[in-house]
Amino acid sequence: MNDYAGRCGSCAAFTRVHEDPARGRVGECALEVYPPPIKATATCARYRAKGAPPPPPPPRAAGQPRGTGVRPRAPERAPSPERRPSAAPQSAAPQPFRSPLPREIDIDMDIDEFRRVLREVLSEELGVGRAELGGRWEGGEIVLRPGKEGTAEKRIPLDVFFHKIVMLRDKLRVLEQKINAHEGLSDAEKVQLQAYITGCYGTLTTFNVLFARREDGFAGSGRDSD
């Protein structure tokens, strides 16, 4: 990580990292500063190291609300009877409320973009996210043909089956994270439960052939892996 200090490779917004045969370590920018793929050695002005605390908030004037950069507005007076219109004008359709980010975060994005980036970072840290089906399997299907004559076979589109495999992989990874962070388990219990999960990975390595990138698949204990 020291090789990427101050560069995209150690930025909190650097996601979906993988090794490219020609470019080396590459990924995608959750802030969309550059189009993917982005080399880990790239830099930009919006760099923020993983786990770095946010910058301190700017000083506020007395009475200024927290998280805003404008003075509080005085309440508007009701119009006098002689100035009130006889009929209320047609009001425009209400616009959806988009709450601004707290000033302390100091990131140039709205709340929707921030939530998207947060999901990307959490997915990267937990090891979950999207995986691509290998090109040769696109449009394919699994055929379950029974041995008993006169019974119908079952056909499953490969993209549907692959989606279920990816969901299983992601849930196992989340379970692994929760076990490692559980405060009520001893180290011996964590090791034992981790061994069971590793065994599940090893059993599922058969399906690694479906993944476009080998590193997105399952990794067992060695003797269980293909």
Side-chain angles (χ1 to χ4, degrees):
M1 186 63 69
N2 292 336
D3 296 337
Y4 304 120
R7 301 178 181 271
C8 291
S10 61
C11 180
F14 193 59
T15 61
R16 299 178 189 168
V17 183
H18 61 278
E19 294 292 334
D20 184 90
R23 300 188 180 190
R25 188 176 180 84
V26 299
E28 297 183 15
C29 178
L31 302 179
E32 299 181 354
V33 176
Y34 301 122
I38 304 169
K39 297 181 66 174
T41 54
T43 60
C44 83
R46 298 174 69 179
Y47 171 83
R48 176 69 60 81
K50 293 183 178 180
R60 294 182 290 113
Q64 179 180 344
R66 185 179 183 86
T68 64
V70 297
R71 288 186 174 182
R73 296 173 56 185
E76 298 181 357
R77 295 181 179 179
S80 58
E82 62 273 9
R83 299 181 60 183
R84 289 179 181 169
S86 57
Q90 182 88 15
S91 59
Q95 297 295 324
F97 177 73
R98 295 169 65 88
S99 60
L101 286 173
R103 188 67 176 271
E104 290 79 1
I105 294 181
D106 192 27
I107 299 179
D108 184 19
M109 65 178 75
D110 58 23
I111 191 66
D112 292 334
E113 185 180 1
F114 175 73
R115 287 171 177 165
R116 181 181 62 80
V117 172
L118 182 60
R119 284 194 295 267
E120 294 281 355
V121 174
L122 290 177
S123 295
E124 181 71 17
E125 293 298 325
L126 292 176
V128 300
R130 293 182 297 178
E132 297 180 4
L133 178 66
R136 61 173 174 161
W137 303 110
E138 293 181 358
E141 61 181 5
I142 293 178
V143 180
L144 302 178
R145 185 173 296 111
K148 184 178 180 180
E149 295 183 1
T151 54
E153 62 185 17
K154 175 71 173 180
R155 293 178 176 268
I156 306 173
L158 263 179
D159 56 343
V160 174
F161 180 77
F162 180 71
H163 177 67
K164 295 181 182 295
I165 292 295
V166 173
M167 288 179 61
L168 177 60
R169 180 206 65 173
D170 291 349
K171 291 183 185 300
L172 282 174
R173 289 181 176 180
V174 173
L175 177 61
E176 189 174 14
Q177 293 284 341
K178 289 185 177 294
I179 289 175
N180 291 334
H182 199 290
E183 297 180 354
L185 296 173
S186 65
D187 290 343
E189 290 171 330
K190 291 180 180 180
V191 170
Q192 184 178 19
L193 293 174
Q194 179 64 46
Y196 292 140
I197 295 178
T198 302
C200 292
Y201 287 151
T203 303
L204 295 167
T205 52
T206 302
F207 301 113
N208 282 349
V209 68
L210 298 175
F211 289 85
R213 295 194 299 262
R214 182 77 176 186
E215 59 268 23
D216 288 339
F218 301 95
S221 59
R223 62 178 183 277
D224 299 326
S225 304
D226 289 344

